Amino acid sequence: MDETKRGKIEISPAAIAALTSEAVLESYGVVGMASRNLIDGISEILQGDRARRGVVVHQDDERITIDLYIIVQYGTRISEVAQSVMNRVKFTLEQTLRLPVQAAHAHVQGLRM
């Protein structure tokens, strides 16, 4: 949340998740986003909101922590893809939202050809 002379600017976790998801899916070696577990996957299907799939946003005061659940392309270096995704998400959010990102955690949920 940002305070100005004219009022407050508040960015919802859903908007942060949508921006994050876009940055992740544009990253080299990522072929998709995954759910944290089966129950989350079922709820995402029922909600129909694919823009936030695989992204969990934690906001504390002025800091953001992001958990990313990704599917990586088979044959790529998993650790390099994960590190690249975390860096890209952090850079994108800090540049776009002007909010510090405390951490971005990439959880590789699977590999796909």
Side-chain angles (χ1 to χ4, degrees):
M1 182 167 45
D2 192 15
E3 298 249 359
T4 66
K5 292 179 183 179
R6 294 185 177 150
K8 291 191 280 188
I9 299 170
E10 192 169 329
I11 302 167
S12 75
I16 294 169
L19 182 62
T20 300
S21 181
E22 186 176 321
V24 170
L25 292 173
E26 291 175 353
S27 298
Y28 172 78
V30 175
V31 295
M33 303 294 287
S35 301
R36 288 186 294 174
N37 56 45
L38 179 62
I39 294 170
D40 290 339
I42 292 170
S43 71
E44 287 173 354
I45 290 169
L46 294 175
Q47 291 173 358
D49 189 2
R50 299 186 63 82
R52 297 184 310 188
R53 181 179 187 171
V55 179
V56 179
V57 177
H58 308 279
Q59 266 183 303
D60 296 323
D61 298 323
E62 296 296 316
R63 294 219 174 255
I64 300 170
T65 302
I66 307 282
D67 282 302
L68 309 164
Y69 298 87
I70 61 175
I71 301 170
V72 174
Q73 181 179 347
Y74 180 81
T76 58
R77 290 182 182 247
I78 296 170
S79 61
E80 288 182 17
V81 171
Q83 188 65 47
S84 174
V85 166
M86 292 185 294
N87 290 337
R88 182 177 185 137
V89 164
K90 187 172 180 180
F91 177 80
T92 300
L93 291 179
E94 288 177 347
Q95 292 299 309
T96 306
L97 304 177
R98 300 282 191 234
L99 292 174
V101 176
Q102 183 173 358
H105 305 285
H107 306 275
V108 178
Q109 298 294 88
L111 301 172
R112 193 176 296 157
M113 295 292 246

